[in-house]
Each structure stands twice: as structure tokens, then as C-alpha cells.
Amino acid sequence: MVEKLKPANAALKYEVTQADLPLHCPMPGQSQWNSHPRVYLPVEDSGEVLCPYCGALYILKPTEQ
């Protein structure tokens, strides 16, 4: 069975969790052939970060206790 990949950089805003760390854009499960090079993003520093290539905003959701 072939896994269907989501288009990379299709959204302008992504909510991510601790499970997504270390965060990189494009994220796993997104096709990369038509996107930019993988770049690691330090979202844990401030809770949100912009990708310098595509401008996507990544927001780190707080951990549930």
C-alpha cells in the first residue's frame, strides 16, 4: 500500500505538539519534492516560529496535564 503524502506548505499555520519535536519544515508526511530544503525550527524557545523559507507559522500547543 502506498502512503499518500500531504502537500507541503499547504497551510499558513500549523499547531504542533511535543511529539513533533524536533520540529522541521516541511514536516513528516508532507511531500518534499516541490518544497524547500528541510529546515529545523526552534519552536520550543518562544512557543511559535515562522519558517524562513515558506512563512508557515508553527505554534507549539501546551502539554496537557
Side-chain angles (χ1 to χ4, degrees):
M1 180 172 178
V2 176
E3 180 183 343
K4 184 170 173 120
L5 298 175
K6 299 175 194 163
N9 317 112
L12 296 178
K13 181 177 169 183
Y14 296 94
E15 287 190 341
V16 295
T17 65
Q18 292 287 327
D20 296 313
L21 301 180
L23 177 65
H24 55 80
C25 183
M27 293 181 64
Q30 296 176 331
S31 62
Q32 292 184 345
W33 69 269
N34 63 348
S35 190
H36 55 71
R38 179 181 290 180
V39 60
Y40 285 87
L41 305 169
V43 71
E44 60 272 15
D45 290 349
S46 65
E48 60 182 53
V49 66
L50 283 173
C51 174
Y53 284 100
C54 66
L57 174 64
Y58 290 90
I59 299 172
L60 183 61
K61 292 172 53 174
T63 54
E64 296 180 17
Q65 297 183 16

